[in-house]
Amino acid sequence: MKNTKILFIIAVSSLILMIIIALGLSIYAIKVANKRPVSLEQIVIQSHDIEFCDDIYFAGERVPLEMFNIRERYERELLSNTYFHSNTMVLLKRSKRWFPVIEPILERYGVPNDFKYLCVIESYLSNVVSPAGAAGFWQFMKATAEEYGLKINKDIDMRYNVELETEAACKYFLKAYERFGSWTLVAAAYNAGSARIAKFMKEQGATSYYDLLMAEETERYVFRILAIKSIFENPEKYGIYVSDKLSYAPYKYDIIIVNESVENWTEFAKEHGITYKLLKVFNPWLRSNSLKVHKGEVYEIKIPKKPFNITHAHINELIGDEQIHTFDSLYTEISQ
């Protein structure tokens, strides 16, 4: 009887101890969460229907949401991107770096600003390569890229030059607009090809993107653009909170003019105080470790400036004296 009483006391004591530990961990977790750049309410993901207005436009052209299938297709993409939080947050952060590069080029060519969202869904604002071989932010195939003036050889591939590829995309858009007279059809043509869109229009006797029956990818294409536009223009409305402080700042760099062949980019990088890796990050269109420059050719090479020229070796030099640095103090010291 005595042993049973002792075992009972031990069991109760263990249970009380476990409750105390659980409460302590919960309090600690709340304190840690409150130190995050977003509130606890923002961390909790709630799934619910999304209300949206009936007047939505792409490139100045109204979307006919009165049509049941149009409304449902838009809502599908809006829900998909709203509740794909991690991906959408990264895209918002990247847009702070790349939209300032893309927007002025679109404006210079007279292409509606909404086409910057096309770039987002094409590549997620990164220099990716598709299984079919399309490359760069705007996902040009090699033949199309060369048709629109982008140089590609063993040393360079200008599809990876954001500025030049954006210019090539603008030329494509303007040419397609001359043919279709609708920016919405231009966007569809960028996905499916102008010839295919023209064929659909002829076969089906329709003149609007919203009345055409096409492959699913093309039918979703404009709605994916519209969903990204809606979220980017008002992210908090969709429960997405991105700190301006933690977004990715536009690159800072100097331009070095190269009009003679470069035998070794590693040595070139060292001469300009950066690493080979940083040189390629800022100039991803350089595809080998050398560059043959022909007579009359001129290339602009970006050399990163502070704080983008920071290297690990540089950081180790600063903390080598074993002084204690916070991230902010070290970053400030390097950036000056």
Side-chain angles (χ1 to χ4, degrees), residues 86-157:
S86 58
N87 185 70
T88 305
M89 288 183 73
V90 169
L91 292 179
L92 276 164
K93 287 172 175 285
R94 287 179 183 168
S95 72
K96 302 295 185 181
R97 170 171 293 162
W98 294 111
F99 279 1
V101 176
I102 293 168
E103 289 172 337
I105 299 174
L106 295 175
E107 183 179 6
R108 189 167 75 246
Y109 277 84
V111 173
N113 192 51
D114 282 353
F115 275 80
K116 66 188 179 187
Y117 300 113
L118 186 153
C119 186
V120 175
I121 69 166
E122 280 288 340
S123 65
Y124 291 171
L125 296 175
S126 56
N127 276 313
V128 296
V129 181
S130 76
F137 274 44
W138 294 94
Q139 290 290 279
F140 269 91
M141 296 294 289
K142 184 176 183 292
T144 308
E146 291 175 331
E147 178 185 348
Y148 284 90
L150 297 178
K151 289 183 180 180
I152 301 174
N153 58 43
K154 67 179 184 66
D155 290 336
I156 64 174
D157 189 336

Side-chain angles (χ1 to χ4, degrees), residues 1 10 20 32 38 108 125-126 159 187 239 277 315:
M1 189 73 174
I10 293 173
I20 292 173
V32 171
V38 295
R108 189 167 75 246
L125 296 175
S126 56
R159 291 178 294 177
K277 181 175 182 177
I315 294 172

Side-chain angles (χ1 to χ4, degrees), residues 214-226:
M214 299 167 286
E216 182 182 8
E217 181 183 350
T218 308
E219 290 207 347
R220 293 184 63 181
Y221 194 72
V222 170
F223 295 100
R224 291 175 62 202
I225 297 171
L226 289 169

Side-chain angles (χ1 to χ4, degrees), residues 41 43-50 79 82-85 238-239:
E41 290 78 9
I43 294 172
V44 176
I45 299 175
Q46 299 178 347
S47 298
H48 52 78
D49 262 344
I50 298 174
L79 287 168
T82 297
Y83 293 112
F84 195 2
H85 288 74
Y238 302 98

Side-chain angles (χ1 to χ4, degrees), residues 174-222:
L174 293 175
K175 183 178 179 181
Y177 188 74
E178 286 182 7
R179 183 172 188 175
F180 298 113
S182 162
W183 290 115
T184 309
L185 285 172
V186 169
Y190 197 80
N191 175 256
S194 292
R196 189 173 299 173
I197 295 299
K199 180 183 178 183
F200 289 147
M201 293 172 69
K202 182 178 179 180
E203 289 177 346
Q204 300 174 32
T207 58
S208 169
Y209 168 82
Y210 302 105
D211 290 328
L212 288 171
L213 178 64
M214 299 167 286
E216 182 182 8
E217 181 183 350
T218 308
E219 290 207 347
R220 293 184 63 181
Y221 194 72
V222 170

